Amino acid sequence: MFFLFILMIAGTFNVQEYLNEVKGFNANSYFKEQAYNDAKNFDSVKEAKQLVDVQDFDIHLMNWCLFAATQEVRERANLSPLKFDVRLRNAAVIHTNEMVKRGFYDHINNRNSALKMPNNRMEICGVNSMKIAENIHNYGFQNNAVSYKDLARAIVKSFFASSGHKKNILDKQLNSLGCGAMFEKDKSSNRYFMKVTQCFAYLPNQ
């Protein structure tokens, strides 16, 4: 954490160095990038049926499941599928990590000016688009033997309770997505919450 503060104070934000400090991000995982390129039925992926364990959390599997669950609702609405973009995923992971580590829940990060707004975070990760959107969630986790895919579907369903979040997911002008999720323990209630960021953009080459 001290290393991250040095980077920010120096005014040189290095995306890869930041992500190297995010718990679990450096793990070798099929779901880090390759899974997005392989067309598979969500329900047929055995790893997605694993039960979520907050003490042994697979960040890449969860991010992929959120992406796949979002694709499902797009498909049901007869919309074009979203393309995975690693830069959007990185921006989503960075914002979720900032919210967890710095103890806030907002689209605006007032703790670090370089990462203040959604467009700042996406641009730092290499995305330049005239059309972007961001969804965030603080989802109360009930540790009751839920699978990764069922948790992802529940979170996307909860997004639909908000007209703004639903609009972003179903926006025909947005064609790319990256998700970032991780757990945070609320000290006052001793409950776990899953903080989620979805970064959307229109990318002309997708």
Side-chain angles (χ1 to χ4, degrees):
M1 195 65 184
F2 180 65
F3 177 66
L4 294 182
F5 281 119
I6 290 176
L7 284 176
M8 293 169 188
I9 291 169
T12 56
F13 189 89
N14 185 296
V15 172
Q16 193 55 55
E17 288 181 353
Y18 184 100
L19 292 172
N20 287 344
E21 298 294 310
V22 174
K23 184 178 179 181
F25 191 85
N26 276 340
N28 291 323
S29 173
Y30 167 74
F31 296 94
K32 190 172 186 178
E33 291 185 30
Q34 184 59 43
Y36 297 93
N37 299 320
D38 296 342
K40 289 187 177 182
N41 181 278
F42 193 13
D43 285 315
S44 71
V45 177
K46 64 179 182 179
E47 292 90 346
K49 300 176 184 178
Q50 295 176 15
L51 300 183
V52 178
D53 181 352
V54 295
Q55 304 302 328
D56 187 23
F57 174 61
D58 189 331
I59 184 174
H60 295 301
L61 177 57
M62 190 70 231
N63 293 345
W64 178 83
C65 285
L66 284 165
F67 182 92
T70 305
Q71 293 283 50
E72 284 186 327
V73 297
R74 294 264 303 189
E75 182 179 356
R76 286 198 292 270
N78 296 315
L79 296 174
S80 299
L82 295 163
K83 298 290 187 180
F84 169 71
D85 190 90
V86 67
R87 299 166 298 176
L88 292 173
R89 189 275 315 277
N90 291 347
V93 169
I94 287 171
H95 189 54
T96 297
N97 189 66
E98 285 285 298
M99 289 193 291
V100 170
K101 295 298 183 183
R102 298 177 183 275
F104 71 98
Y105 176 59
D106 202 311
H107 291 283
I108 300 173
N109 182 353
N110 286 317
R111 281 72 170 176
N112 179 12
S113 59
L115 302 173
K116 186 171 183 178
M117 303 298 294
N119 64 296
N120 300 140
R121 299 186 286 270
M122 295 186 207
E123 287 170 6
I124 276 177
C125 291
V127 173
N128 291 289
S129 173
M130 296 296 292
K131 175 76 174 179
I132 64 168
E134 182 183 81
N135 285 348
I136 60 173
H137 206 327
N138 192 35
Y139 187 82
F141 178 70
Q142 303 294 331
N143 197 0
N144 56 354
V146 63
S147 68
Y148 279 85
K149 69 180 179 67
D150 288 342
L151 178 57
R153 283 170 170 158
I155 290 170
V156 171
K157 181 179 179 180
S158 183
F159 270 135
F160 263 53
S162 161
S163 60
H165 291 139
K166 179 179 179 180
K167 180 180 178 181
N168 289 338
I169 290 173
L170 300 180
D171 193 327
K172 296 178 181 179
Q173 296 181 357
L174 296 168
N175 65 359
S176 304
L177 171 65
C179 303
M182 57 190 69
F183 281 110
E184 178 181 36
K185 189 174 185 179
D186 180 70
K187 295 179 181 177
S188 60
S189 65
N190 210 34
R191 288 185 61 199
Y192 282 96
F193 290 80
M194 176 163 278
K195 278 197 163 73
V196 177
T197 305
Q198 292 186 308
C199 290
F200 300 86
Y202 170 73
L203 300 176
N205 295 325
Q206 293 285 53

